[in-house]
Amino acid sequence: EPEHLNWYRAPGDGWTNKFEYVIGIIHTNYVEYASSHYSGLWTAPAIRLMSSAMVRAYCHVVIKLSDTLQTFAEEKERTSNIHGVRLEF
């Protein structure tokens, strides 16, 4: 998940300098988790903002497993069933 990877800075150059093309796959709705916590009034907007900033800065493309996830960078986002769960499910 790019939120995890990008909070950790690559030694030396950033991830987009280390690799020619960086694809982030996002499958966890951390904003929703934060919203349900007692401190969510402050933490949810902060997580939304920081996650978007990390994705915009360090991913060329973002694949979201569901459109229920937050918008990170509309121009970079795709929604795709890459997790192997059947559409009927």
Side-chain angles (χ1 to χ4, degrees):
E1 284 184 281
E3 307 98 307
H4 295 256
L5 183 62
N6 290 320
W7 288 96
Y8 169 73
R9 175 140 171 81
D13 295 330
W15 297 113
T16 51
N17 291 329
K18 276 189 164 306
F19 300 100
E20 192 172 317
Y21 202 73
V22 178
I23 299 173
I25 299 176
I26 300 177
H27 54 82
T28 306
N29 194 340
Y30 290 107
V31 174
E32 182 60 32
Y33 283 157
S35 296
S36 65
H37 194 263
Y38 72 90
S39 65
L41 184 61
W42 299 277
T43 57
I47 288 171
R48 178 182 301 276
L49 180 68
M50 292 305 292
S51 292
S52 290
M54 295 293 114
V55 166
R56 283 183 179 278
Y58 299 115
C59 294
H60 294 102
V61 171
V62 173
I63 298 173
K64 297 188 324 182
L65 300 187
S66 168
D67 283 329
T68 62
L69 298 169
Q70 78 175 69
T71 299
F72 293 89
E74 283 188 66
E75 70 281 2
K76 296 181 175 190
E77 292 180 11
R78 314 286 183 275
T79 302
S80 181
N81 178 13
I82 61 168
H83 47 60
V85 176
R86 295 185 316 266
L87 292 175
E88 308 78 68
F89 183 75

